[in-house]
Short mmCIF file of all heavy atoms in Angstrom, two decimals:
data_model
loop_
_atom_site.label_atom_id
_atom_site.label_comp_id
_atom_site.label_asym_id
_atom_site.label_seq_id
_atom_site.Cartn_x
_atom_site.Cartn_y
_atom_site.Cartn_z
N VAL A 260 12.42 14.25 -13.94
CA VAL A 260 12.89 12.95 -13.49
C VAL A 260 14.15 13.13 -12.65
O VAL A 260 15.11 13.80 -13.06
CB VAL A 260 13.18 12.03 -14.68
CG1 VAL A 260 13.77 10.71 -14.21
CG2 VAL A 260 11.89 11.77 -15.47
N PRO A 264 21.91 8.28 -8.85
CA PRO A 264 22.95 7.28 -9.15
C PRO A 264 23.41 6.54 -7.92
O PRO A 264 23.16 6.96 -6.79
CB PRO A 264 24.09 8.14 -9.72
CG PRO A 264 23.92 9.47 -9.04
CD PRO A 264 22.42 9.65 -8.91
N TYR A 266 26.56 5.21 -5.41
CA TYR A 266 27.77 5.86 -4.90
C TYR A 266 28.73 4.74 -4.51
O TYR A 266 28.51 4.04 -3.52
CB TYR A 266 27.43 6.74 -3.70
CG TYR A 266 28.60 7.52 -3.15
CD1 TYR A 266 29.12 8.62 -3.84
CD2 TYR A 266 29.20 7.17 -1.95
CE1 TYR A 266 30.18 9.35 -3.33
CE2 TYR A 266 30.25 7.89 -1.42
CZ TYR A 266 30.75 8.98 -2.12
OH TYR A 266 31.80 9.71 -1.62
N CYS A 369 21.89 9.23 17.37
CA CYS A 369 23.11 8.51 17.02
C CYS A 369 24.35 9.28 17.44
O CYS A 369 25.34 8.70 17.93
CB CYS A 369 23.14 8.24 15.51
SG CYS A 369 21.95 7.00 14.93
N LEU A 416 14.53 4.77 8.29
CA LEU A 416 15.15 3.48 8.58
C LEU A 416 16.59 3.44 8.07
O LEU A 416 17.44 2.77 8.66
CB LEU A 416 14.31 2.34 8.02
CG LEU A 416 12.97 2.17 8.74
CD1 LEU A 416 12.16 1.04 8.14
CD2 LEU A 416 13.18 1.92 10.24
N THR A 430 32.31 1.22 8.30
CA THR A 430 31.94 1.61 6.95
C THR A 430 30.70 0.80 6.58
O THR A 430 30.53 -0.34 7.01
CB THR A 430 33.08 1.37 5.95
OG1 THR A 430 32.70 1.88 4.67
CG2 THR A 430 33.42 -0.10 5.81
N ALA A 448 23.58 11.49 0.29
CA ALA A 448 24.21 12.75 -0.12
C ALA A 448 24.20 13.77 1.02
O ALA A 448 25.16 14.52 1.21
CB ALA A 448 23.48 13.32 -1.34
N LEU A 449 23.11 13.81 1.77
CA LEU A 449 23.02 14.73 2.91
C LEU A 449 24.11 14.44 3.93
O LEU A 449 24.76 15.36 4.46
CB LEU A 449 21.63 14.61 3.53
CG LEU A 449 21.28 15.52 4.71
CD1 LEU A 449 19.80 15.87 4.68
CD2 LEU A 449 21.60 14.85 6.04
N SER A 487 10.16 -8.12 4.74
CA SER A 487 9.24 -9.22 5.00
C SER A 487 9.93 -10.38 5.68
O SER A 487 11.16 -10.54 5.59
CB SER A 487 8.61 -9.70 3.69
OG SER A 487 9.58 -10.38 2.89
N GLU A 489 9.67 -13.49 4.84
CA GLU A 489 10.20 -14.40 3.82
C GLU A 489 11.56 -13.94 3.33
O GLU A 489 12.51 -14.74 3.22
CB GLU A 489 9.21 -14.50 2.66
CG GLU A 489 7.91 -15.23 2.97
CD GLU A 489 6.99 -14.47 3.91
OE1 GLU A 489 7.07 -13.21 3.95
OE2 GLU A 489 6.20 -15.11 4.64
N ALA A 500 27.02 -17.31 9.04
CA ALA A 500 27.36 -17.05 10.43
C ALA A 500 27.70 -15.60 10.70
O ALA A 500 28.60 -15.30 11.49
CB ALA A 500 28.52 -17.94 10.85
N GLY A 508 8.13 -8.67 9.48
CA GLY A 508 6.74 -8.27 9.35
C GLY A 508 6.00 -8.18 10.67
O GLY A 508 6.52 -8.48 11.74
N VAL A 631 -6.92 -11.36 9.14
CA VAL A 631 -6.62 -11.64 10.54
C VAL A 631 -5.30 -12.42 10.67
O VAL A 631 -4.50 -12.16 11.56
CB VAL A 631 -7.76 -12.43 11.21
CG1 VAL A 631 -7.40 -12.83 12.64
CG2 VAL A 631 -9.05 -11.62 11.19
N MET A 671 -4.55 -0.94 35.62
CA MET A 671 -3.12 -1.21 35.63
C MET A 671 -2.83 -2.70 35.68
O MET A 671 -1.83 -3.17 35.12
CB MET A 671 -2.47 -0.50 36.83
CG MET A 671 -0.95 -0.44 36.76
SD MET A 671 -0.41 0.57 35.34
CE MET A 671 1.31 0.07 35.23
N GLY A 672 -3.69 -3.46 36.33
CA GLY A 672 -3.50 -4.90 36.37
C GLY A 672 -3.53 -5.52 34.99
O GLY A 672 -2.73 -6.40 34.66
N LEU A 727 41.08 -6.73 27.16
CA LEU A 727 42.51 -6.66 27.47
C LEU A 727 42.72 -7.24 28.86
O LEU A 727 42.14 -6.75 29.84
CB LEU A 727 43.01 -5.21 27.44
CG LEU A 727 44.45 -4.97 27.92
CD1 LEU A 727 45.45 -5.67 27.00
CD2 LEU A 727 44.74 -3.48 28.03
#
Side-chain angles (χ1 to χ4, degrees):
V260 176
Y266 184 73
C369 289
L416 291 179
T430 185
L449 182 147
S487 71
E489 290 70 26
V631 175
M671 194 64 196
L727 172 64

